Amino acid sequence: MREFIIRTVFFRAALLAGATALAPLPALADTVDSTDNTEGADLTDPDGDRDYLPGNIVVTGTAQGYGEDDGSTGMKTETPIIDVPQTVTFITDDQLEDQSIRQLGEALRFVPGISLETGEGHRDEIFIRGQETTADFYLDGLRDDAQYYRPLYNVARIEVLKGANALIFGRGGGGGVVNRVANRASLNGFSGELDSSVDTFGAWAIVGGINAPVSDSVAFRVDTTYEQFDNNRDFYDGHFFGIAPTLTAELGPDTRLFAFYSYDNDERLVDRGNPADGDGPLRGFQDTLFGAGDFNDTEVHVHIARTRLEHDFSEALSANVTLQYADYDKGYQNILPRGLRNGGTDVEFSGYRDEQTRENFIAQANLVANFSTGSIGHTLMLGVEGSWQDSFNGRANAFFDDGAGGLNSRVTLPLAQTFTFPAISLGAPVRDRHSELEVFSAYIQDQIAIGENLELIAGLRFDRFDLQTEERLTSTSGDRVDEVFSPRFGIVYQPSDMLSLYASYAESFLPQAGDQFFLLPPSSEAFEPEKFTNYEVGVKYAPTAELLLTAAIFQVERTNTRGPDPADPTVTALVGESRVRGFEASVAGNITDAWSINFGYTYLDGEITETSTFGAAGLTLQQLAEHQVSAWTRLQATDRLGFGLGAIWQDEQFASFSNDVVLPDYLRVDAAVFFDLTDTIALQANVENLFDADYFPSAHGDNNLQPGEPLNVRFGARLRF
């Protein structure tokens, strides 16, 4: 603990010094030019162009809007996306504006290969290529792994990098990771934006941003928002406030400093969804809260501060150093349905209160060198990263007054449109978990150019993962050190600037404590981490600098999963395995100056291949839709009038590994209309679920099935100056 306190003091001092008294900015792409900042800087959008794909997708392309060096997140070097041997899906801020989307989970519905988990009604939780995660989220390439809902008010684009790839991201990411690229201050001039909206449920939001150069070498930007929540579910309400100042400073012709700080406060009702009715969701209760409106709630406070220093030693050699501090403080409590009882006439409920706090420290340094050995070119990246994490998780169960002076941990009530609960109280703590995590990583990657058409990628990462946990109620401790090597190999053949063919192999790992690391039980202390292996073959075609077509086939293998030893089922061993095979295709960008599109299709076939703690061999993976289609398009009919149309079709999927409850397939259609009153004032209306489909898009187990929202219209106005 003494060492942790020393590290805390050191990091806070370093952050304050590096930020020049402003709490710091994001680690953006590994190589950026702050004098030509296109990453969310141009708020005025004078040409009215809408970008559905970051620009510069080929070497000869020109950066458009806020797209710059789009492949850099996947390689940690300045690499065009067409040269990255991996499937990457983008959602740009133009598309987010057109769809009037403000939360990460809503945006990810339009990413093929991702299914949403309800996250118990209080956090982002997703499946990427069949792999569940609450922690594989990043902000400008650095880990943002606490459990909360992530906003988009200060985000320039969302990147979903699919397939295991520990070399770039470290632990986890078995199916891929989600990275948000934050807005940053620009030296290009003063600009601003004010966006307001209200919907037919009564929810409303105001979002604003101002970019202001202070001098020729220093610029300041601030993004802020306030949202008031509401929807069709009974008792649902809440609010969100966020503010994010950023600073860009040129310390010399070859040196840049970025500083970023964000504070987010989210308070809302916790909605656990509806119970199952037989092998499917209970219908006819679309608006009913299966919980207590005066008890179910969550509140989270998130502070993230970062400084990043970049220096170019020459045109061929550059380096960057980033320090990040993040503080998460969250509490939530909920009454939740456990299932129908007595032939479906009653519902059983239980509940609890959970508290989580976390402090994350990350220090990362990268050196990138471009050189040649004879006729062979190299882009060599060397990096080190150290991270320290201190976490707490506490829990107390809810009890119901039995009317006779006693308390029960469960209560059964008649099925109704509105539930009236007996008095609810909280018992003594049943969980008091503390954990400290130290990770040291070193990695090397070489992009080897052989001639003009062929590139080989080879890299290796070493992680030393030291986890110590304690359940203080029982004085149960867990302590394990893992040292893991994670390779990455790829080959990219580019017969022309417009076309690339690639194949890749990559590995990742996840320690047996899970992705939040609150507790390492003694029963898992002896086990090596789970292993994820990704094989992928694909093609990328960019007929123009503003349009990208991709297709890939892939296989994700998960091994070293705990399960019963075949020789002795009473003994746990690392015998469990699962596999996902799939195909993905997408089209993203501008087909013409007036027509933009983002379309994707995914086929996934996943099952448990060797019996594990998840289930028996042969079971289908949970919340894995075999077929999934997502699409959004905008057509600019005139200089001032535009239309949008989108659709999500998701095949049926099992709610859990039990394979007992099915979430039916569904089709949701969205639409929008856009009208520019003047060059600076724009109006829009977005219709979600145009045909009022009755659907259940996500779940948390077999008895927390989340109904989708009915038809809803959001009206918005935007001022740019």
Side-chain angles (χ1 to χ4, degrees):
M1 181 59 70
R2 179 182 177 187
E3 293 178 356
F4 189 82
I5 294 173
I6 292 173
R7 287 194 301 268
T8 301
V9 174
F10 167 76
F11 263 81
R12 287 176 175 168
L15 283 167
L16 290 172
T20 318
L22 173 75
L25 176 144
L28 297 164
D30 285 311
T31 51
V32 295
D33 180 0
S34 63
T35 62
D36 184 20
N37 175 19
T38 57
E39 205 73 67
D42 188 2
L43 297 172
T44 58
D45 192 19
D47 298 326
D49 295 335
R50 311 297 293 174
D51 291 318
Y52 276 45
L53 180 78
N56 200 24
I57 58 176
V58 293
V59 176
T60 57
T62 302
Q64 302 284 332
Y66 44 77
E68 181 179 335
D69 302 324
D70 354 294
S72 60
T73 301
M75 302 294 287
K76 286 189 180 292
T77 63
E78 186 176 350
T79 304
I81 191 64
I82 201 168
D83 290 339
V84 177
Q86 181 179 10
T87 298
V88 183
T89 299
F90 294 97
I91 301 179
T92 66
D93 70 343
D94 276 344
Q95 182 176 340
L96 294 173
E97 284 185 1
D98 287 350
Q99 294 181 278
S100 192
I101 288 176
R102 309 197 187 282
Q103 300 237 333
L104 179 63
E106 285 298 310
L108 294 179
R109 294 182 189 276
F110 288 87
V111 176
I114 286 186
S115 295
L116 297 187
E117 222 266 9
T118 62
E120 298 181 89
H122 63 81
R123 65 174 181 247
D124 290 324
E125 186 167 353
I126 59 176
F127 295 84
I128 308 179
R129 290 185 174 177
Q131 311 307 314
E132 185 178 12
T133 180
T134 66
D136 294 321
F137 299 97
Y138 290 75
L139 181 61
D140 293 312
L142 290 183
R143 190 175 295 275
D144 174 33
D145 62 355
Q147 296 181 332
Y148 71 106
Y149 286 124
R150 291 159 179 83
L152 300 176
Y153 68 96
N154 62 333
V155 169
R157 72 173 183 260
I158 301 166
E159 304 170 331
V160 182
L161 299 98
K162 299 171 186 174
N165 188 356
L167 187 141
I168 298 299
F169 297 103
R171 66 182 185 270
V177 304
V178 177
N179 181 55
R180 291 169 294 150
V181 177
N183 293 332
R184 69 175 183 262
S186 169
L187 298 170
N188 288 343
F190 179 85
S191 58
E193 178 179 312
L194 183 64
D195 186 353
S196 62
S197 66
V198 62
D199 69 21
T200 49
F201 293 130
W204 57 272
I206 297 176
V207 184
I210 292 178
N211 186 90
V214 179
S215 67
D216 291 341
S217 59
V218 178
F220 178 80
R221 176 186 176 115
V222 62
D223 294 289
T224 188
T225 186
Y226 181 86
E227 297 182 54
Q228 189 70 36
F229 301 134
D230 203 353
N231 64 19
N232 63 297
R233 300 284 278 183
D234 295 339
F235 307 106
Y236 187 81
D237 64 0
H239 64 267
F240 175 87
F241 170 74
I243 186 167
T246 72
L247 179 74
T248 297
E250 288 189 344
L251 305 182
D254 302 314
T255 307
R256 298 165 296 278
L257 174 70
F258 302 104
F260 168 89
Y261 169 76
S262 67
Y263 168 71
D264 297 331
N265 169 226
D266 191 325
E267 301 179 33
R268 67 178 76 194
L269 178 134
V270 175
D271 182 2
R272 295 292 293 263
N274 294 7
D277 183 10
D279 61 358
L282 175 66
R283 297 185 182 273
F285 294 83
Q286 189 179 43
D287 299 336
T288 299
L289 174 68
F290 285 81
D294 58 354
F295 183 85
N296 287 37
D297 65 51
T298 182
E299 181 174 357
V300 61
H301 299 267
V302 177
H303 301 265
I304 300 178
R306 184 181 305 132
T307 54
R308 176 182 175 92
L309 185 66
E310 299 180 350
H311 180 71
D312 298 328
F313 297 99
S314 68
E315 292 184 359
L317 184 65
S318 63
N320 58 75
V321 178
T322 304
L323 299 177
Q324 174 177 287
Y325 169 74
D327 180 84
Y328 309 89
D329 187 352
K330 173 182 174 180
Y332 70 95
Q333 57 189 37
N334 54 174
I335 303 300
L336 63 144
R338 301 183 61 87
L340 298 180
R341 301 291 185 263
N342 303 321
T345 61
D346 299 325
V347 185
E348 183 180 72
F349 294 91
S350 65
Y352 60 88
R353 175 173 177 79
D354 195 281
E355 295 182 354
Q356 302 174 5
T357 62
R358 171 166 293 170
E359 284 186 293
N360 279 352
F361 305 91
I362 300 175
Q364 184 185 101
N366 298 294
L367 182 69
V368 179
N370 293 281
F371 60 93
S372 297
T373 55
S375 61
I376 298 176
H378 298 267
T379 299
L380 183 67
M381 185 266 296
L382 303 172
V384 293
E385 181 177 290
S387 63
W388 297 267
Q389 180 173 292
D390 185 60
S391 302
F392 159 75
N393 176 221
R395 179 169 293 192
N397 289 329
F399 289 89
F400 305 92
D401 191 333
D402 67 1
L407 298 173
N408 294 318
S409 61
R410 299 184 185 183
V411 64
T412 299
L413 301 176
L415 178 62
Q417 294 293 337
T418 303
F419 295 94
T420 301
F421 290 88
I424 302 170
S425 59
L426 293 170
V430 296
R431 181 183 297 175
D432 185 2
R433 299 172 176 176
H434 294 250
S435 67
E436 292 187 9
L437 173 64
E438 296 184 3
V439 182
F440 170 76
S441 307
Y443 43 89
I444 181 172
Q445 175 183 268
D446 195 6
Q447 297 167 245
I448 306 168
I450 303 175
E452 297 182 357
N453 306 107
L454 183 65
E455 182 171 276
L456 305 179
I457 295 95
L460 187 68
R461 181 182 181 116
F462 168 78
D463 287 280
R464 187 181 189 277
F465 195 93
D466 186 350
L467 176 64
Q468 300 180 39
T469 73
E470 181 182 10
E471 172 51 79
R472 294 186 176 179
L473 294 178
T474 60
S475 298
T476 302
S477 61
D479 186 355
R480 180 176 173 84
V481 175
D482 288 301
E483 296 184 344
V484 184
F485 289 92
S486 302
R488 178 191 196 183
F489 301 102
I491 181 171
V492 179
Y493 176 65
Q494 197 169 354
S496 72
D497 289 337
M498 298 184 297
L499 178 67
S500 68
L501 310 172
Y502 70 88
S504 66
Y505 171 93
E507 295 180 3
S508 187
F509 70 96
L510 181 65
Q512 295 290 340
D515 61 9
Q516 289 297 322
F517 309 114
F518 288 129
L519 182 67
L520 178 64
S523 59
S524 302
E525 198 171 9
F527 293 131
E528 296 179 355
E530 287 190 277
K531 180 180 177 181
F532 299 86
T533 306
N534 187 78
Y535 307 87
E536 185 169 324
V537 177
V539 57
K540 299 181 180 182
Y541 175 57
T544 72
E546 298 180 353
L547 186 65
L548 181 66
L549 291 74
T550 68
I553 57 174
F554 53 85
Q555 177 170 297
V556 179
E557 296 176 353
R558 183 174 186 169
T559 56
N560 276 6
T561 303
R562 286 171 289 162
D565 191 330
D568 183 357
T570 65
V571 175
T572 300
L574 298 183
V575 295
E577 297 182 6
S578 64
R579 181 188 64 225
V580 177
R581 291 172 173 164
F583 167 78
E584 179 170 330
S586 68
V587 180
N590 301 324
I591 296 178
T592 69
D593 291 341
W595 184 15
S596 302
I597 190 170
N598 195 338
F599 170 87
Y601 165 77
T602 301
Y603 166 80
L604 295 173
D605 177 19
E607 66 174 356
I608 298 174
T609 54
E610 297 290 344
T611 299
S612 70
T613 54
F614 296 129
L619 290 175
T620 300
L621 298 186
Q622 61 178 338
Q623 295 187 51
L624 185 79
E626 186 174 14
H627 301 280
Q628 184 178 355
V629 176
S630 59
W632 178 263
T633 187
R634 171 173 171 147
L635 180 65
Q636 196 65 30
T638 70
D639 289 343
R640 296 195 179 274
L641 181 65
F643 299 95
L645 185 65
I648 302 170
W649 181 73
Q650 190 161 283
D651 208 348
E652 65 180 18
Q653 53 186 324
F654 290 114
S656 76
F657 282 109
S658 73
N659 286 191
D660 291 334
V661 176
V662 175
L663 297 178
D665 60 77
Y666 71 89
L667 172 66
R668 191 187 93 178
V669 177
D670 297 347
V673 60
F674 314 98
F675 184 73
D676 293 338
L677 284 176
T678 68
D679 291 341
T680 59
I681 301 176
L683 305 177
Q684 73 181 70
N686 290 81
V687 183
E688 179 183 304
N689 196 3
L690 178 64
F691 300 115
D692 202 21
D694 182 9
Y695 69 104
F696 288 78
S698 60
H700 182 80
D702 288 344
N703 279 295
N704 289 187
L705 314 179
Q706 192 67 45
E709 292 183 0
L711 186 149
N712 173 39
V713 183
R714 175 177 289 171
F715 303 94
R718 182 176 297 109
L719 170 66
R720 288 189 171 101
F721 53 90

